Every structure is written in C-alpha cells, then in structure tokens.
Amino acid sequence: MSKLKAAVAAAAALTLVVVAGCSGDKSDGGTKGNAGNSSITVFNGSTGTIVENWNPFSPTLLQPTQGLIYETLYWFNFAKESDPTPMLGTAFSWDSAGKVLTITTRDGVKWSDGQPFSAKDVAFTFDLVKRTPAINASGLKLVSSVAKDDKTAVLTFAVPSFTAEAAVIANTPIVAEHVWSKIDDPAKSINPNPVGTGPYQLKTFSAQSYVMEKNPNYWQAGKPQIQNVRYVALATADAATAALTAGQVDWMSAFLPGLEQLLKNQKNLTYVNTPAMTTSIFTCAGAELGCEGPQTDPAVRQAIYYALNRDQLNKLAGGGFAETASPTLLLPERDKKWIADQANATTPGAPDVAKANQVLDAAGWVKGSDGIRAKGGEKLSMTIQTVTGWSDYISLNDAMKQELKEVGIEVKPTQLSWNEWNNNQVQGKFQLSLDSIGLGASTNPYFTYLKYTTVTTAKVGEAAQNSGNYSRYKNPRVDAAIAAATNTNDEAAQKAQYAIIQQEIVKDLPYIPIYVNSMLTEFSTANAVGWPTNENKYALPASWKSWDNGVVLSNLQPAK
Amino acid sequence: MRYLLRKLGFYLVALWAALTVNFFVPRLMPGDPVDILLSKLGQRGPVTPEMRASTEALLGTSSGKSLLSQYLEYLGNLAHGDLGVSVTFFPASVSSIIEQTLPWTIGLIGLATVISFLVGVGLGTAAGWKRGSWLDSLIPVTTMFQSVPYFWLALILLFLFGSVWPLFPLNGGYDVYTVEPGWNLDFIGSVLYYGALPALTIILSSVGGWMLGMRNMMVSTLSEDYMVTAEAKGLRPGRIMRRYAARNAILPSVSGFAISLGFVVAGSIVTEAVFSYPGIGSALLQAVGGNDYALMQGIFLVITLSVLGANLLVDLLYSVIDPRTRARA
C-alpha cells in the first residue's frame, strides 16, 4: 500500500512538473483581453457542482453575491490598518448610549435594473433583518429601522450596540425594497434574478461555471473596466495549478507547494502574500470546564511557547511565506496601535530551551529516564490533532514533535477527517489542536478576544460557539474587560481594556501562536492588470473573500 | 405467479433494510451539519452566537426530536417522494441535485459500462471461437489492466494523455469557456470530448473480465453435443458461433452485466474524483464532507434502487431466457 501511495505521489508530482514546464501560451478562447470584450476567469475554491443561490443573506450563497452584486454601506480592508471606506453610506454617527445609529446614504446610486437607490432601501433592509430571525446572522437587536428622508436612515437598537457597528455597516448587504418586498421567504429564496448596486450583474449560469457581466449603471464612474468575469469549479489543488499555468484561470488563492519554482518561467503570473490568520496550537485549557491533560497547566503551555523554533517551522512547513505572530494574537504590523505593551508585539523566532526547561522545572515536571517529564504519575504527553490532507499542518506537527521533545514534552500527532476534527474542537474533546485564528467582522481586536471569554464557550461535551472559545479558557478579568469594551465607542477606553486582556493571555496562552500563516493569491496579468501588490494592498486579495472581491474587480484594467 | 410474488416480496424487504441502514449510518458520523456549516463560515468571517439559532432556523434542523420520530418522518417523506433539502447546497432540494448530476454519471459511466461489455463479449466470443489465435494473447494484457487499481490506471492515463501529450482535457464535463450548455452540436461534441478519457479508463479496466469470462464459456460450450450436431448439419460457421455457441455462453455474462449496471452510480465516485467530473459521485463526496444527511440518503437511495432494480430485472429476465432457473423443487 505504501509503495502504491508513493507511486501515486510521484505521478502527481510529475504532473505538476510537466504542467509547470509548458509555458502559458495555451490561453483558452474567449479570455483574451481587449477593453470592449475583456474577460477574466476566477477560481474561488468551489468544487464539484455549483448550485445557484444569489441570496446575499444565505450561508450557502455563491460568493460573488457579496461584493460583486450586492454592496454594504462601508467596507473594511483587512489587509492593512485603515478606516472603513464609504460605499453606499457616506457618514454615520452613534448617539452617546450606543442605541441609535444615523446613516447618511450616497446620492446618485442606481440599482442594476435602473431604479434609484435611496435611504429607504437601507431602512427596508434592516427592517427585513429585524423581521426575519433566520437572516439575522449577526444577531442585531433592532427595535426599528426607518428612513427620515431619501438620504438618512435611522436604526434603533434595544441594547448598546457599538460592537455591532462592523456587522451593521460592513457586513449587511443592502437590498432593493422594490425587489425584496415581493419575496415571500427571504431566508430560503435563491434570488434567481439578483438586482444589486455592485459593479457586476449575473449574465449566465450553469452548474459548472457562471459569468458575471459589467453593471452599466454602476455608481463609481469609469468602473469596472473588465466586461466579463467567469467563475469556474475545479476539484483539486493539482487541477487548479494546471489551470493557472495553462492560462485558464486568472485569479485564485491557494497554497501551492513550490510556488516560486512554478512561476519562474511564467512571465504573466505573479502572486501576493497577505498573511492575516494566526496559526496557533489550540489547547483545551479550562480544567474547570472539563478539560483533561497536562496542557491544563499554564506552565506547560508557556513551555511549549518558548520551546518552539518558529524560524525552522516556517522553513519546514510554511514554505518561508509565514510572518511573525504576536502572543497577543493580533497582527504585529496591522494592529500595532492595539498592542499595549510592545514587549508583547512579536513571538520569538528562535527557541529558548533554557527558559522552557526552567518553567517546567519550577512547575514540578520532572524528567524521567525516557527523557519525558512527569508530575504526580502523569506523563507530559499530549495528542495534537489536525486534518488529513492539510499537508503544511501535518509537517508542522511532525516538526514540533521533534522540537518539544528536547524539553521533555511528548506530543503525538493525529490526523482526522475535517468533520471529526471540527467536532472535537466544538465539543472540547481534544488536548492540542492545530487551527488558525479567523478573521473578525472588522480589524477591532474585540472579535479576536471574544475567543477568550466564557460567553463564547461551554463545558466539554457541549458545543461552544463556533469560532468561539474552543479552549474552554476561563478568566474573570478577561470577561470583565470584554464587557467593558462592549459598552464604549471610545478607542482609548477600548485600548485600556484590551491591555488587561493582553496581560492575561500572554501569561496563560490558551492559544499558543506559531506564525501568521501565508495567504497566497496568484494572478495572471495576461488579461487584466491592476491587481493588489505587496506594496499596495488596497484590498485583501484572496479570491474567496466576500466584499473585497468587488473592490479588486472594480480596480482592474484590461491588459494591453 | 407465485414465483414472481415471492421475488417481489424479497426485494421489498431488501429495500426496507437498505433504507433503514441508509437512515442510521450517516447519523453515526461525527459532526452536526449546523456546526459544520458554521465552522466553515467561521474560517472566512465572523460568526456570532446568534448565527447558530439563525442557521438552525434556516436548515429546519430540529435537534430536539427523537431518532425514532425522525426515522418515521423520513420514511413518510420518502413515500411522498420528498427527499428533503440539501445542507451543502442549501436551499436546493436533494431531488434537484440528483436531477442535475445523475445524467452526467449515467451518460459517462453507464455508456462506458455498456461499451466495455459489448467489446469484451465480442472479443471473448472471437477468442473462444478461435482458440490459440492472437486474440488469446490479448487476455493477459486486459486482465492486467483490470488488476491494476482503477484510480492508479486513471491517474497514469490522465498524466499521459492530459499532460505529457495533451490530447484530452484535464478535468470537467465540458468546455465551460466557449460552449453554452444545451442541445446543440457544439455542446454535445464538447461533452463527448471531455468524457472520452474517463470513459476509456473505465473500458480499459473492465473489458478484461468480460472477455475472459466469455472466452471460457465459449470454450466449454463448444464441446457440447449440440455444437457437433450443428456442424454436422453443415451450418455456416458464423451462424454456429453466434446462434449456437455465443447465445448459450453469454448467459453468465448477462447476469454479471446487470449487476455491474446496478453499480454504475456507486462506482462513479473514484472516476469523478480523478477527472473532476460533475456527476453524482462528486455530489456524494461533497455530501459526506458536509454531513449532509438528506443528500447522502438521497444518493444512497439512488444507488440502492439501481442495484436492486438491476437485480430484479435480471432475475425476471433470466427466467425468460433460461427456463431452467424457473424449475420448481
């Protein structure tokens, strides 16, 4: 069996090499760029059969629904530190209690069917969310949503809702009253003829590919310039690589092993790396909530933190593309202003074995004859889970196993199906688990720090809130600080609360950061130019990122 | 008549048993569809506590109900032909997914199975008729293709004819760039072109079995007395080969063929995974990945029905073409 596997791997590798070898002049018909009939092809990670769903409120929507067809009031750029960009809204203000939000909307915007857009559509959208719990994904506690005039919408909340700001202004698609007032069940409609304000509208759809075309009524003058955008489904990373190098895909986001080599002979292909998610060891830390194992001892977590050789891990598993993380779990560069103590800005790159040993010695973990420490009959041995097929995480586990052994910590890597791995995290049935810290609703640390609070957790065996506190970490000071941060819109006051949280979590480390994992996006400049670059990250360029997609596509120009 | 009723009764019990297994197996898998959907969303953006409630409301997953009442509800819905709503492809219904993907699978795997049967039986007949000819030496080659694991053979062919000599496309069901789906020559041509390599791999890997079986049955049939009689009557050799020898020799192959037709849907998963083909096998893979009970059950139902249906058909057909099987004790 292992021989067979090796042979398959060899064949797959050979395929890659051969495909990479032939130059990208095989560009397919219909993708050649000229201003009048310019067209690009996007692979956003969809596999298999594509099922039509243009409902911007549905969790299974086709991703271009958000950003290409529908727009929000404002848009947040996750790629760098920046203020929200006005889209359909031009101004907003809260009352001092955080219960009334007044929004000024943009003039001169039209829906793709030619009807004018106004603040009434905004008021209608939030009223629809209020009336339909199934589409109220961010749980807004709305009391009323009215349009004072054509340019002003006023939202009233039942509770102080400063922290819901990002969800309201940047994550709620604005829909047309004249269309959606006729839709019976806004949660279950697939919205087959979407009418939006965004740069593109639906042209053709089939189960294997669909095409978006330029919205002639788009409110940003002169945008977009690319006439057609085609989305395709590809099954595997190999298929995606082949399609990219054959010129059949212009834009995709995937970690391709040996990317530099692959793109060396391809003059049209470039890539940009926008690390934003911190790969971390999630530990089941909360003994009070039912976690078991040596990792419930903070000293063990600290020792792991110090013993890791992150430079080596990046080389071995991250392909050298990963960036330095921060023990505060924020991004050292983008979130600089939120990190209170600059001593906590970044993780060390090299291991500090002496420090790790010292921490463990002090906590009473004694090295046995086999080199593994133990305390009170319990061996310092833990399992670490990851998902079958996540090759970089599997390499990480193997490398960390070696590194941690030097300080007397034994970790046993296991690979599970995605479902089982996810289920273990949600239920708290793990000791160590490799995962990454996801993106929040905005770049405000509030969304990351919710992961440390007891409101987002549950006892082991019960489901914690998704993307919430899987670690079962419990710290009253953190809970109090988050509660305090929720009730203010004052950045300085929020910073003070976050400083308290940072102090606690840097010490307790329920999530042990490894590095900020690469987020690689590959572009072809054969058909379009103007993609984000490392110097100009005007949007998060990942081809699967909602909202940002519309911004990127509006900024492209046909290649000469 | 009693024979027929007994058969039908047996198939009904088999169907019920299959449906029951169908209901319980997916529910023993780890993970809950709401969790999976939320976690997948959580990787790409914020997920709030309220989102669980909204997703549950959306999917209509009533976690409070007992397994037994869910089971009865499931059987009741099936009786009405209602297969439920897919979670992976929400809000699409399971029947619409099957409707969309099944034709691709039947077209590709079904046709390939028929072609490989016809080719195999034809070659086997010829090989058995003229023992020791060059055709016999074909048998070890074809059985070798059959003994190689299918996905491995498919990967090699894909590598050779897709990458080294790019004669065939690497993936997909048709050329999405230039062709619009519909009943036009361009589309049909594109579908045939994209299906050619996967079909070829299936034919290559299964033709050997048909050929070997047919050849050996031919050989034993040829030694029967009625063959000598036929030759003595002075019939033309071609007529003897087809009407006397092949007709009798094909009986075991027919039942084998019916069973393999029944497994068309189930056997499509590997082919579709290797060639990124948009059939029901890909849909099943996605359903399993998303713990999409309704879709999994819908597809298992199609598999069950096709296997049972093919078997029933061959049972009934067999009693017609081979009267000996009807013999009562």
Side-chain angles (χ1 to χ4, degrees):
Chain A
M1 192 61 205
S2 67
K3 250 187 195 167
L4 197 73
K5 266 189 189 158
V8 174
L14 215 53
T15 318
L16 277 182
V17 171
V18 169
V19 168
C22 55
S23 64
D25 56 7
K26 226 174 44 175
S27 179
D28 225 282
T31 57
K32 275 286 161 233
N34 63 58
N37 191 26
S38 50
S39 152
I40 63 164
T41 305
V42 183
F43 170 57
N44 62 2
S46 68
T47 57
T49 295
I50 306 169
V51 172
E52 195 161 21
N53 183 355
W54 305 105
N55 181 343
F57 300 111
S58 168
T60 51
L61 48 70
L62 290 172
Q63 169 260 327
T65 311
Q66 297 184 333
L68 267 69
I69 299 176
Y70 293 96
E71 290 181 312
T72 49
L73 295 165
Y74 279 79
W75 166 72
F76 281 108
N77 184 1
F78 282 82
K80 59 179 185 186
E81 207 274 302
S82 55
D83 290 326
T85 310
M87 299 297 279
L88 293 176
T90 54
F92 66 92
S93 61
W94 286 97
D95 72 337
S96 58
K99 287 187 174 181
V100 180
L101 179 65
T102 308
I103 300 156
T104 311
T105 60
R106 187 177 291 280
D107 252 345
V109 176
K110 277 185 181 166
W111 294 99
S112 54
D113 62 1
Q115 299 241 27
F117 156 89
S118 81
K120 293 201 175 76
D121 293 307
V122 175
F124 171 80
T125 301
F126 286 99
D127 192 49
L128 192 69
V129 168
K130 186 193 116 202
R131 282 187 281 125
T132 321
I135 64 170
N136 191 357
S138 41
L140 301 176
K141 301 203 168 45
L142 281 158
V143 175
S144 75
S145 166
V146 290
K148 269 211 311 214
D149 54 55
D150 276 358
K151 283 189 68 182
T152 317
V154 179
L155 307 184
T156 312
F157 296 87
V159 292
S161 295
F162 290 123
T163 51
E165 179 181 297
V168 171
I169 65 166
N171 238 336
T172 305
I174 303 301
V175 298
E177 179 170 11
H178 67 273
V179 178
W180 283 76
S181 57
K182 295 185 193 99
I183 291 178
D184 291 335
D185 188 344
K188 289 188 176 161
S189 167
I190 64 153
N191 191 24
N193 301 303
V195 173
T197 56
Y200 286 90
Q201 58 191 19
L202 176 63
K203 188 179 181 192
T204 58
F205 178 86
S206 87
Q208 282 154 65
S209 169
Y210 50 90
V211 182
M212 314 293 295
E213 65 179 352
K214 181 179 164 171
N215 171 8
N217 292 322
Y218 193 49
W219 54 271
Q220 294 199 49
K223 289 178 176 180
Q225 293 191 29
I226 303 292
Q227 184 66 34
N228 292 314
V229 182
R230 174 184 290 282
Y231 283 81
V232 293
L234 297 168
T236 58
D238 284 357
T241 314
L244 180 73
T245 50
Q248 291 173 353
V249 165
D250 296 283
W251 181 13
M252 59 180 259
S253 295
F255 181 80
L256 302 177
L259 183 66
E260 304 265 12
Q261 280 297 316
L262 199 69
L263 300 189
K264 217 155 120 194
N265 300 319
Q266 307 271 340
K267 62 177 169 40
N268 287 330
L269 295 183
T270 56
Y271 71 89
V272 53
N273 183 16
T274 44
M277 301 199 265
T278 307
T279 295
S280 309
I281 304 173
F282 285 32
T283 69
C284 196
E288 278 175 72
L289 289 170
C291 290
E292 283 171 15
Q295 81 288 348
T296 52
D297 180 353
V300 170
R301 303 198 293 267
Q302 281 167 16
I304 295 176
Y305 177 82
Y306 289 116
L308 292 180
N309 184 345
R310 292 178 172 79
D311 292 338
Q312 190 185 39
L313 293 176
N314 187 7
K315 235 176 275 161
L316 290 175
F321 289 115
E323 281 179 9
T324 309
S326 162
T328 61
L329 242 64
L330 303 182
L331 300 181
E333 206 179 311
R334 186 191 76 188
D335 304 329
K336 204 181 279 167
K337 70 169 180 187
W338 295 109
I339 299 176
D341 182 354
Q342 284 308 307
N344 293 331
T346 55
T347 56
D352 189 343
V353 176
K355 178 99 183 235
N357 277 325
Q358 182 203 325
V359 170
L360 287 173
D361 290 339
W365 294 93
V366 186
K367 242 180 203 173
S369 55
D370 55 353
I372 308 299
R373 289 169 186 269
K375 177 182 174 181
E378 186 185 26
K379 254 181 111 177
L380 188 36
S381 167
M382 294 158 287
T383 56
I384 182 160
Q385 61 160 13
T386 190
V387 177
T388 314
W390 286 9
S391 50
D392 53 336
Y393 276 18
I394 293 167
S395 322
L396 260 185
N397 274 349
D398 290 339
M400 288 195 296
K401 181 183 170 179
Q402 300 298 325
E403 292 177 7
L404 294 176
K405 211 175 160 187
E406 285 180 32
V407 295
I409 299 174
E410 181 181 54
V411 292
K412 297 179 194 147
T414 59
Q415 295 173 31
L416 306 171
S417 75
W418 190 91
N419 285 347
E420 203 176 349
W421 166 84
N422 178 58
N423 192 47
N424 285 351
Q425 283 195 166
V426 173
Q427 306 274 334
K429 291 176 181 165
F430 66 99
Q431 290 186 309
L432 305 175
S433 179
L434 264 191
D435 196 0
S436 61
I437 307 294
L439 302 169
S442 77
T443 51
N444 192 303
Y446 172 77
F447 297 98
T448 303
Y449 289 155
L450 271 180
K451 265 189 183 310
Y452 292 91
T453 62
T454 45
V455 283
T456 67
T457 197
K459 276 191 206 127
V460 169
E462 287 169 24
Q465 182 196 319
N466 290 85
S467 314
N469 186 355
Y470 291 155
S471 168
R472 271 73 191 170
Y473 177 64
K474 194 172 177 184
N475 184 331
R477 294 193 64 191
V478 171
D479 284 350
I482 274 288
T486 314
N487 285 323
T488 171
N489 209 20
D490 176 19
E491 220 170 72
Q494 287 184 349
K495 264 186 211 167
Q497 299 303 327
Y498 297 152
I500 300 174
I501 298 176
Q502 288 168 10
Q503 228 175 16
E504 295 297 314
I505 64 175
V506 165
K507 175 166 61 78
D508 287 343
L509 292 163
Y511 308 92
I512 306 168
I514 299 173
Y515 50 52
V516 187
N517 209 355
S518 61
M519 188 190 284
L520 292 166
T521 302
E522 297 85 15
F523 310 110
S524 163
T525 51
N527 299 311
V529 294
W531 302 101
T533 59
N534 282 324
E535 292 71 39
N536 181 16
K537 296 177 184 171
Y538 62 79
L540 195 74
S543 66
W544 45 258
K545 180 74 177 72
S546 291
W547 311 121
D548 300 53
N549 269 38
V551 174
V552 172
L553 286 171
S554 322
N555 274 293
L556 297 182
Q557 298 97 40
K560 292 287 177 307
Chain B
M1 196 60 203
R2 256 187 60 203
Y3 170 79
L4 192 72
L5 282 177
R6 216 173 53 217
K7 281 278 169 208
L8 284 177
F10 167 75
Y11 277 100
L12 274 178
V13 173
L15 180 65
W16 169 78
L19 291 180
T20 305
V21 171
N22 210 349
F23 174 82
F24 286 102
V25 166
R27 282 172 173 74
L28 298 176
M29 291 171 40
D32 142 15
V34 176
D35 275 339
I36 289 173
L37 197 60
L38 288 178
S39 295
K40 288 199 165 147
L41 285 174
Q43 290 174 319
R44 305 201 159 180
V47 175
T48 58
E50 288 79 4
M51 201 137 174
R52 166 172 291 274
S54 81
T55 310
E56 275 172 0
L58 208 60
L59 297 176
T61 45
S62 38
S63 37
K65 271 188 206 159
S66 75
L67 210 57
L68 184 70
S69 69
Q70 285 184 47
Y71 174 64
L72 292 176
E73 198 180 344
Y74 159 76
L75 288 183
N77 286 342
L78 273 186
H80 293 103
D82 176 7
L83 296 178
V85 173
S86 159
V87 175
T88 321
F89 300 107
F90 185 85
S93 71
V94 169
S95 12
S96 72
I97 306 286
I98 292 176
E99 208 172 291
Q100 198 173 317
T101 52
L102 192 59
W104 289 95
T105 300
I106 292 184
L108 175 69
I109 322 269
L111 271 183
T113 307
V114 171
I115 292 173
S116 95
F117 174 72
L118 294 180
V119 170
V121 165
L123 285 175
T125 309
W129 186 248
K130 286 194 174 154
R131 264 170 291 166
S133 71
W134 62 273
L135 271 172
D136 267 1
S137 53
L138 212 66
I139 288 177
V141 179
T142 55
T143 44
M144 184 203 77
F145 279 130
Q146 190 167 27
S147 56
V148 172
Y150 169 75
F151 74 94
W152 174 225
L153 179 75
L155 275 176
I156 291 178
L157 287 179
L158 185 65
F159 167 60
L160 288 179
F161 298 110
S163 298
V164 180
W165 306 292
L167 295 173
F168 294 104
L170 285 167
N171 56 63
Y174 69 96
D175 183 357
V176 295
Y177 295 93
T178 56
V179 178
E180 288 297 323
W183 288 112
N184 54 63
L185 274 182
D186 279 353
F187 178 67
I188 295 168
S190 185
V191 168
L192 289 179
Y193 175 52
Y194 274 69
L197 193 59
L200 191 70
T201 59
I202 297 169
I203 293 171
L204 261 187
S205 75
S206 59
V207 82
W210 300 125
M211 190 173 166
L212 186 65
M214 189 63 190
R215 178 200 178 270
N216 292 345
M217 275 312 287
M218 277 295 279
V219 169
S220 55
T221 313
L222 285 180
S223 63
E224 297 283 347
D225 291 344
Y226 59 81
M227 295 302 300
V228 183
T229 318
E231 273 171 41
K233 279 201 285 187
L235 295 174
R236 274 181 292 109
R239 189 178 162 83
I240 300 176
M241 180 176 87
R242 284 191 298 271
R243 288 296 186 82
Y244 286 73
R247 197 175 167 182
N248 283 297
I250 206 170
L251 286 173
S253 297
V254 167
S255 52
F257 177 61
I259 289 166
S260 71
L261 268 192
F263 280 103
V264 159
V265 176
S268 68
I269 299 169
V270 181
T271 316
E272 289 175 10
V274 172
F275 293 96
S276 318
Y277 206 75
I280 204 163
S282 313
L284 181 57
L285 277 182
Q286 276 171 287
V288 172
N291 264 30
D292 190 341
Y293 301 149
L295 185 53
M296 270 189 267
Q297 282 160 0
I299 296 174
F300 287 146
L301 181 68
V302 173
I303 295 174
T304 312
L305 285 182
S306 58
V307 173
L308 286 178
N311 277 294
L312 177 63
L313 202 71
V314 92
D315 252 358
L316 299 180
L317 197 70
Y318 224 74
S319 64
V320 176
I321 59 173
D322 187 358
R324 283 171 299 180
T325 53
R326 260 178 299 179
R328 270 154 296 197

